[in-house]
Amino acid sequence: MKRLVLSSVLAFASSAAIAAPVTYDIDPNHTDVIASWSHFGFSNPVAHFGDVDGSVTYDPDNVGQSSVEVTLPLSGLEAHVPDFNDHLRSADFFDAAQYPEITFKSTRVEAAGEGKLRVWGDLTVHGVTKEVLLDTTINKLGEHPMGKRAAAGFDARTVIKRSEFGVGKYVPNVSDEVEIRITVEAMVPKPAAGG
């Protein structure tokens, strides 16, 4: 009887360990946030937001316990035209001198079918915070072949109205709606030295 109870306790402890949420640090070298908009209807330029910092916590057995927290420094903004980079960071748009970062902090995560998630959260741009929904695809979970640590990859999309964040210059000729596409690669942190 004792052996049966001990086996049950060990089995439960083992399953609890497996079910624990895993927190991954975002790898800025393999993560990109891309904004796209219409320019007078003629073209659809893009801007990349690099130097992404943050973490993703994912629990496949209890998706509601998952979370995301991300910071995008505007110093990492790249629209491929130096003058345009400067203009985007100016007071006409992001006013990076006063608001140097964009942040996202999830408030709710739900499963949305096989390999799909819906992630709601607070997006703060230009000092204004609004709730947005990220339609998210789980690309892969597993050991990273180079890092030799648990890794996770996700893609996500949303559409926002920039005027709602106080970044509405040239609307409607330059579209108010901005499509945001995100690709994220993240790994669990390296073990502490000597640990």
Side-chain angles (χ1 to χ4, degrees):
M1 183 65 165
K2 254 185 208 174
R3 189 174 293 163
L4 181 60
V5 170
L6 182 59
S7 296
S8 299
V9 168
L10 288 173
F12 176 78
S14 173
S15 66
I18 291 168
V22 178
T23 297
Y24 306 89
D25 286 346
I26 290 173
D27 175 1
N29 295 324
H30 298 97
T31 297
D32 200 4
V33 178
I34 305 161
S36 178
W37 60 93
S38 171
H39 188 255
F40 291 83
F42 291 106
S43 63
N44 296 287
V46 299
H48 296 259
F49 294 83
D51 300 334
V52 182
D53 183 42
S55 63
V56 177
T57 298
Y58 181 62
D59 187 343
D61 296 324
N62 188 357
V63 171
Q65 294 300 307
S66 304
S67 62
V68 182
E69 195 160 341
V70 176
T71 299
L72 303 175
L74 287 169
S75 57
L77 185 153
E78 179 54 68
H80 310 296
V81 180
D83 287 348
F84 188 38
N85 289 342
D86 292 342
H87 194 195
L88 286 173
R89 291 189 188 102
S90 77
D92 279 353
F93 290 101
F94 290 111
D95 195 3
Q98 187 169 353
Y99 307 104
E101 298 174 338
I102 294 170
T103 62
F104 176 83
K105 186 171 185 177
S106 65
T107 54
R108 182 163 46 116
V109 180
E110 288 182 358
E114 187 66 32
K116 303 286 186 184
L117 303 169
R118 282 190 293 267
V119 181
W120 283 267
D122 292 330
L123 177 66
T124 302
V125 179
H126 198 249
V128 178
T129 301
K130 299 277 184 185
E131 184 180 62
V132 300
L133 168 61
L134 301 178
D135 291 313
T136 304
T137 299
I138 303 167
N139 295 331
K140 187 173 182 179
L141 301 170
E143 183 178 292
H144 197 285
M146 296 178 73
K148 304 299 182 191
R149 306 193 303 280
F154 305 89
D155 276 11
R157 285 178 178 263
T158 192
V159 175
I160 63 169
K161 286 193 171 181
R162 60 191 179 92
S163 61
E164 292 181 349
F165 293 89
V167 190
K169 192 153 182 95
Y170 305 128
V171 168
N173 292 318
V174 177
S175 63
D176 195 4
E177 287 196 343
V178 176
E179 181 185 22
I180 299 172
R181 291 177 289 131
I182 304 158
T183 190
V184 174
E185 189 170 311
M187 276 192 277
V188 297
K190 287 182 180 177

